[in-house]
Amino acid sequence: MAEMAVTVVAANSTLRTCSGVSPTAPGGRRAAVLGRWRPLAPANLRLSSPAVRVPRATSAAAVEDWSNTDIVPIPKVIIDQDSDPDATIVEITLGDRLGELLDTMNALKNLGLNVVKASVCLDSTGKHNKFSITKASTGRKIDDPELLEAIRLTIINNMIVYHPESSSQLAMGATFGPEAPTEEVDVDIATHIDIYDGPERSLLVVETADRPGLLVDLVKIISDININVQSGEFDTEGLLAKAKFHVSYRGKPLMEALKQVLSNSLRYFLRRPTTEDASF
């Protein structure tokens, strides 16, 4: 494996308690932190799931053997654009099952990224592996939705390779894993769209069934109605995806009419296709 300049905090010793994990808002949702970051690039979004280049793990020898009788924790992958102005923060959790994830860091390097810092901390929800990553060519945080989606799929793929038991807990298990999820999410029930106003922009919160390419598609839909998409957070939690985007129209929060257009556009795109739709 190629050498990487990575600082791992408490990876091989006693785990420290988490201090940098985003707080949880009432109802279990993570609180959003407003910041001033560069807009996500809205142009040339052509990502579809077969086109995503997902670097594979370098070896299958490190796959851990977990008992099938164990209760498998919900896998979580968080891509955070708000917490650090200079780097994209990625957080990976699978209870207490994840190790140092060196192969995952190497796979990210194959995407043209630098892992500038890595740390591990422990709280009541499990072990949190956090990476600060930048684009190798610029040394800056990632603002390309296609690359952010490729990062997400790469991490999920490696998680499934080294922890096959997580396959049935992830929507991507049907695409990448040996075992598809046993339950199917009802998209109509799982989809929730909320828009909150701030002084200079609005906060769009979307929760829906996860699938490959979802991050890019969401950004494209928002951009297609001339709404500016800025930094945010994209969470993968088992079968669900939860996105938070800071959005604005001509430098101001969204008007009520535009909120309705945005909400309707997203619901139309995310809803489950009907028989009538499929017949056309």
Side-chain angles (χ1 to χ4, degrees), residues 107-126:
L108 293 176
K109 184 178 180 182
N110 291 338
L111 288 175
L113 306 171
N114 285 332
V115 180
V116 296
K117 183 170 64 175
S119 64
V120 182
C121 62
L122 183 67
D123 65 11
S124 60
T125 64

Side-chain angles (χ1 to χ4, degrees), residues 147-164:
L147 184 52
L148 289 171
E149 178 69 354
I151 291 168
R152 185 174 79 101
L153 297 185
T154 296
I155 292 171
I156 290 174
N157 172 69
N158 274 23
M159 183 185 292
I160 291 174
V161 168
Y162 289 98
H163 296 273

